Amino acid sequence: MKVVRVHETGGPDKMVYEDSPAPSRNPDRAIVKIHAIGLNFIDVYFRMGLYKSPLPFIPGMEAAGVVDSVGKNVTSVKCGDRVAYAGSIGAYAEYASIDPTQLVPLPAGIDMKTAAAVMLQGITAHYLTHSTYPLRKGETVLLHAAAGGVGLLLIQLAKKIGVTVIGTVSTEEKSSIAKSAGADHIILYTQADFEQEVQKITAGKGVDAVYDSVGQETFDKSLNCLRPRGMMVLFGQSSGPVPPLNPSVLNAKGSLYITRPGISHYTATREELLWRAGDIFSWISDGSLKARVDRVYSLKEAAEAHRALETRQTAGKVLLQP
Ligand SMILES: NC(=O)c1ccc[n+]([C@@H]2O[C@H](COP(=O)([O-])OP(=O)(O)OC[C@H]3O[C@@H](n4cnc5c(N)ncnc54)[C@H](OP(=O)(O)O)[C@@H]3O)[C@@H](O)[C@H]2O)c1
């Protein structure tokens, strides 16, 4: 089969499109023929070496496809089932061997590209808004990279609950895209001081929660945007990792809370995974949640896809197709 493999960490060119033996059979696993692969910022962290995987490795944490074969102990899925998964590395390939407890069956109306577009980022937006900081009607949040893959989905989930969303984006074009998804206020954080803008919008009260996936460039000012006892949800670092924090800063800035969540802890049981994926797929099916696929590349163009994501050219989801 064809795969994209990283032999040494570094820039996008370190990804090599090459031949590989198909995954070997395992009695406890299912082999999925991949139809669509979701690109996520975590793929960049692994490729760069910020997150560690033994070398060489096949990147990619998310895909949708059809079960091609199952091991003899697997009873939860069968050949021909349409499935999607998030959280198992090795998706930049034609086939992947997956623990069947990670496979979510796809409802009839959900096509492969949509499934690969919402599994990881949709579940992330779900746990961030429903569990990490369970949003309540009438609250106000600040969301960085609002036109990103997670961002556009998170806006829509927050609006469903009745929350005011202040989003930040880098360009006018991304501003219109985030507004179309429902954002109430958009700040161009590359041009304006987002801390001052948030204080203006909230009349000095601050927001109830900040969802910050940009990290290094936004973290300090984001803390200043919170109301007393507000919640800082740091869930990524697209601009670089945040340096160590002195906990007394949280006291000085208003008895703040901070958390650094990850998807695996919010899909720790099969029930939780199916609950979150089920909600996302049912909202896609009833039209109340829309996935924006920004661009689709072939698997062999993975380096180009990474470049587009890393250089902030994309708004919404990027997919690869084997
Ligand atoms: N913890 C979890 O469970 C979890 C799960 C999924 C994703 N994440 C995190 O969520 C974030 C978004 O992921 P995504 O896959 O949906 O990506 P994305 O938001 O589509 O892309 C990243 C965006 O970050 C913004 N950005 C700001 N500064 C940047 C910089 N210096 N370099 C690159 N981008 C910069 C850009 O938006 P602007 O151009 O508008 O600034 C860019 O489009 C990532 O940090 C990712 O690690 C975390």
Side-chain angles (χ1 to χ4, degrees):
M1 65 170 178
K2 292 287 186 195
V3 302
V4 165
R5 201 177 259 119
V6 173
H7 293 269
E8 55 177 324
T9 53
D13 292 335
K14 297 290 181 191
M15 290 188 293
V16 183
Y17 183 66
E18 62 186 23
D19 289 308
S20 173
S24 47
R25 296 206 174 204
N26 177 311
D28 298 312
R29 294 176 83 89
I31 293 179
V32 177
K33 179 169 173 36
I34 293 175
H35 287 230
I37 301 155
L39 198 71
N40 293 285
F41 222 90
I42 193 170
D43 304 351
V44 173
Y45 306 145
F46 273 110
R47 194 210 68 221
M48 290 164 57
L50 182 65
Y51 289 4
K52 308 288 176 208
S53 180
L55 291 164
F57 68 92
I58 300 173
M61 306 298 284
E62 173 182 44
V66 174
V67 175
D68 191 65
S69 66
V70 294
K72 67 176 168 47
N73 301 331
V74 175
T75 52
S76 54
V77 289
K78 58 181 187 324
C79 276
D81 284 356
R82 300 167 69 252
V83 292
Y85 68 89
S88 179
I89 198 160
Y92 288 16
E94 289 181 287
Y95 294 88
S97 169
I98 305 294
D99 172 353
T101 62
Q102 293 196 337
L103 294 174
V104 174
L106 294 184
I110 304 286
D111 63 72
M112 293 290 176
K113 283 190 197 155
T114 305
V118 299
M119 264 308 277
L120 198 150
Q121 294 172 344
I123 288 174
T124 300
H126 189 284
Y127 84 69
L128 291 173
T129 52
H130 288 68
S131 304
T132 305
Y133 183 81
L135 292 171
R136 283 165 303 213
K137 189 172 179 195
E139 290 186 320
T140 301
V141 297
L142 172 63
L143 166 66
H144 291 303
V150 176
L152 290 176
L153 295 167
L154 200 152
I155 292 172
Q156 296 174 72
L157 299 198
K159 291 314 296 175
K160 262 180 177 293
I161 299 167
V163 165
T164 298
V165 179
I166 306 172
T168 61
V169 298
S170 63
T171 65
E172 291 289 355
E173 193 195 347
K174 287 188 177 185
S175 168
S176 333
I177 293 169
K179 280 185 187 152
S180 315
D184 300 278
H185 307 272
I186 287 292
I187 303 165
L188 268 77
Y189 57 178
T190 40
Q191 294 172 29
D193 179 332
F194 74 81
E195 180 187 336
Q196 282 178 14
E197 296 301 311
V198 168
Q199 295 305 342
K200 267 190 233 159
I201 293 165
T202 62
K205 289 199 195 99
V207 296
D208 297 286
V210 178
Y211 293 108
D212 187 346
S213 67
V214 173
Q216 203 171 81
E217 282 172 17
T218 46
F219 182 80
D220 287 343
K221 282 194 172 185
S222 293
L223 290 178
N224 300 337
C225 294
L226 284 162
R227 64 157 164 83
R229 292 158 58 179
M231 171 70 91
M232 173 63 161
V233 183
L234 176 70
F235 70 101
Q237 58 250 318
S238 53
S239 70
V242 172
L245 173 76
N246 177 349
S248 24
V249 168
L250 301 176
N251 172 21
K253 291 186 189 277
S255 299
L256 304 178
Y257 295 86
I258 179 166
T259 181
R260 175 60 179 88
I263 190 170
S264 61
H265 304 117
Y266 285 90
T267 48
T269 64
R270 176 107 182 120
E271 290 68 34
E272 201 172 19
L273 170 66
L274 293 179
W275 163 47
R276 299 193 195 283
D279 276 359
I280 295 297
F281 288 139
S282 88
W283 294 331
I284 295 271
S285 299
D286 71 18
S288 63
L289 178 66
K290 298 209 164 36
R292 182 178 196 278
V293 175
D294 190 75
R295 41 189 104 183
V296 183
Y297 293 90
S298 70
L299 180 56
K300 92 165 88 130
E301 297 170 315
E304 212 175 303
H306 272 224
R307 263 182 229 112
L309 183 65
E310 280 176 272
T311 56
R312 304 166 80 161
Q313 290 172 47
T314 63
K317 189 69 181 179
V318 181
L319 296 176
L320 300 175
Q321 277 196 305

